[in-house]
Each structure stands twice: as C-alpha cells, then as structure tokens.
Amino acid sequence: MRKPFMAGNWKMYKNAAETAAYFEKFLPLVAASTHCDIAICAPFVNLPAAVAAAGASRVEIGAQNLYWAKEGAFTGEISGPMLVNVGCKCVIVGHSERRQYFHETDETVLKRTQAALENVLHPIVCVGERVEERESGKTEAVLQTQFEGGLAPLSPAQFAKVTIAYEPVWAIGTGKTATPEMAADAHRAIRSLVTAKFGAAAAQQVRILYGGSVKPDNVKGLMAQPEIDGALVGGASLEPASFASIVNF
Ligand code: PGA
C-alpha cells in the first residue's frame, strides 16, 4: 500500500511573515492527518521561515528547484547542500514552468534529480504533456521521452527514493483538471514505463502524484483512483483551509 502524499507548490508567492501566519492556521487542521504525508514547497528565501514555522510537525518543507553542483561560481543558483542546511527534506524537479520559462530539459531534470538524491533530498520529479501534444495523441510518447531522459538513467536504489508528479501542462493554473479517468490512464502509462525499466516491485512502490488545478472539490474523485497516490497542488495550497481540506480528502 502506498501512503498518500499531498505536496503544496507555493510557486513565487508569500513572504516570511505570510509563511509563519499560514502555518499557524494550517498545522492544527492537519495535526491528526496521519493517513497522509504532507509537504510544502516554498520559495528559496522563505525556506528558513517555513522550516521554523513547521517546527516538529509532520509537514516537510521542500524547495521548488536546485542546482546540481554542490558549490561554485554559479551566480543566482542554490545547491542541494544549501537546501539541506536550512532544513529542507524534499525538492520539486522539472516543473513544467521551469521547462517552459527556464529552459529545463530532460537532461537537466536528471542532473537535478541525481543531485537531490546525493544530498538525501526527496525529489518530486514532474512530467506531463502540453495541450497540443495531448490533442495530437502524443501524451504517452511525451511521458515516455520525459521518463527515459529524466528518470530511467537512475540506479534502482536511486529510483526507489523518487516521487513522480504527473502534471498535464494544460491543467496547471487553468481550472481545467484532467478527469480522474484521464489522470489514471496517464499514471498507468507511467507505471508501465517504470515496470519495464525497474521491474514490477518498483512500479508498485513508486508514488505518482497528480497535479493541475487540484481543489478541495475535485480531490476526492482523483484520490478514488487507485493509480493516484496524492497531489501536487499549486493555487489551492496557498490558503490553509483549502490545502488542509485537500490533505483530509
Ligand atoms: P495548480 O498548480 O494547482 O495551481 O494548477 C499545480 C502545479 O503547478 O504544481
């Protein structure tokens, strides 16, 4: 049995004071939510505030990106050891906004994922098709290319520590969620890629989250699909009551 995992992706929202205020409201609402692993991925500069505010709770704090070198002359970048040093436990890798606006490729997704694992950070690796790819029937081919470039080169031991997030690009921030059946089909396709590369046991074990306009009112239908192990939540994670009701689906 895979334990559900709900991760909030705050993107470029909230300052340190808003971060502290959020956790004050959020933590009591999820204090009894032991059915589920919970993470909040905050902007870099607010990670210390988020770690302090999460305190000894079960809510893990994550970043939204990392660079693959440990240190060096890479102006503007943040490394895995730096994230660990401020108390991060997980990190999103390869989000479609990184791919679309910041030239992330499957090759750099792999490097970042490997860097996360070397630093004992739990990577949440995002894959997903764009609207024109879905409309031209290329969804599974796109998922295969992203899997082969970004995940398949990992060792089995490394892969065992990865969470995958399926996020159809057309559903992110648009209010258009994939139907539970559409999401489950994509999750099945990803899981069969995992079976072919890493074997049936690895495919049974890996958690695949759905992301794209997950809200309190559609999470139940998504989580009713046995293929869907949790959600990566953007907009609806910004408000404590809304994300808590997703956690407590
Ligand atoms: P959304 O974002 O929930 O606002 O659609 C999801 C994501 O980008 O991870």
Side-chain angles (χ1 to χ4, degrees):
M1 261 304 272
R2 298 180 292 265
K3 189 171 186 182
F5 180 25
M6 296 298 182
N9 172 12
W10 280 2
K11 309 195 180 186
M12 198 171 70
Y13 290 101
K14 294 193 192 294
N15 61 28
E18 289 163 344
T19 299
Y22 180 99
F23 277 90
E24 218 168 283
K25 288 198 185 134
F26 181 65
L27 291 182
L29 300 175
V30 298
S33 310
T34 52
H35 64 283
C36 189
D37 290 335
I38 309 167
I40 298 264
C41 299
F44 286 135
V45 292
N46 297 324
L47 290 171
V51 168
S57 75
R58 295 175 46 258
V59 180
E60 289 192 352
I61 301 304
Q64 300 168 14
N65 188 25
L66 82 167
Y67 192 62
W68 50 83
K70 285 192 172 10
E71 60 181 8
F74 301 104
T75 302
E77 293 301 309
I78 300 287
S79 71
M82 290 172 175
L83 296 179
V84 171
N85 187 252
V86 295
C88 272
K89 296 280 192 276
C90 56
V91 59
I92 299 172
V93 175
H95 190 278
S96 65
E97 287 151 15
R98 302 288 328 160
R99 294 177 187 257
Q100 188 178 349
Y101 305 130
F102 304 102
H103 313 296
E104 189 84 61
T105 63
D106 294 329
E107 193 187 342
T108 59
V109 167
L110 176 65
K111 286 181 168 181
R112 291 183 213 277
T113 303
Q114 288 167 328
L117 292 164
E118 275 158 25
N119 290 291
V120 207
L121 283 164
H122 163 202
I124 303 170
V125 181
C126 303
V127 296
E129 80 287 0
R130 296 196 300 263
V131 69
E132 63 276 15
E133 294 166 335
R134 173 158 289 265
E135 283 170 357
S136 58
K138 295 203 185 99
T139 297
E140 291 195 11
V142 169
L143 295 176
Q144 180 166 3
T145 303
Q146 293 174 338
F147 177 82
E148 279 173 3
L151 289 164
L154 297 176
S155 71
Q158 286 176 318
F159 183 78
K161 301 193 178 92
V162 168
T163 294
I164 299 174
Y166 167 64
E167 299 207 308
V169 180
W170 48 271
I172 295 177
T174 57
K176 285 188 210 159
T177 334
T179 64
E181 293 73 23
M182 278 159 88
D185 281 347
H187 284 219
R188 257 189 296 278
I190 295 166
R191 223 176 275 286
S192 65
L193 294 166
V194 176
T195 306
K197 173 65 194 175
F198 294 106
Q204 273 314 303
Q205 176 262 333
V206 66
R207 288 191 289 195
I208 307 179
L209 314 183
Y210 168 78
S213 298
V214 175
K215 307 280 178 230
D217 63 2
N218 61 24
V219 65
K220 223 182 164 112
L222 290 160
M223 291 305 291
Q225 296 286 335
E227 275 298 335
I228 300 179
D229 304 314
L232 181 55
V233 185
S237 74
L238 291 170
E239 209 272 304
S242 147
F243 190 44
S245 88
I246 289 173
V247 167
N248 297 322
F249 64 94

